Amino acid sequence: MLTHSIYLIINAIGLVYLARFDHYGLYIIIASFWVAASFIKSLTIPAIWTIVIFMTGFALMRITGITSNVPSTYQLLILFTEIFVAILGVMLIKSG
């Protein structure tokens, strides 16, 4: 379960960094839930599910945006990261 906790905390840090305290604190609340879930084992799997859903949604929105113009290297890097994080989350859910 340590890998689950590390996954949650790293994603929380990444979300706060990328959001930079925008969106009226919504992302801060989500990230706080992920950090809390890393310590409260009954919330760990539901929190990982939220990351999978969150990243899949972002990846789909980014793919939609990419289809209308030529993507930059940064956009492609973020897209692949979102896909990787979602797949890793599914693997963690299946493992435990």
Side-chain angles (χ1 to χ4, degrees):
M1 290 300 262
L2 179 62
T3 54
H4 293 72
S5 296
I6 292 169
Y7 175 82
L8 288 166
I9 291 170
I10 289 172
N11 277 287
I13 291 168
L15 179 63
V16 170
Y17 173 76
L18 291 174
R20 292 188 176 87
F21 300 104
D22 284 341
H23 306 286
Y24 307 102
L26 178 62
Y27 289 164
I28 303 303
I29 293 168
I30 293 169
S32 299
F33 168 66
W34 293 345
V35 170
S38 71
F39 296 103
I40 304 169
K41 296 308 171 196
S42 63
L43 295 177
T44 299
I45 297 300
I48 293 174
W49 268 114
T50 64
I51 292 173
V52 169
I53 293 166
F54 201 73
M55 291 299 157
T56 303
F58 274 142
L60 290 173
M61 287 188 302
R62 195 166 309 280
I63 289 168
T64 303
I66 286 173
T67 58
S68 63
N69 60 9
V70 178
S72 68
T73 304
Y74 175 75
Q75 288 175 321
L76 289 175
L77 178 66
I78 294 297
L79 172 63
F80 291 132
T81 302
E82 291 163 348
I83 293 169
F84 174 75
V85 169
I87 291 171
L88 184 59
V90 170
M91 292 170 53
L92 287 172
I93 290 167
K94 287 183 178 182
S95 73

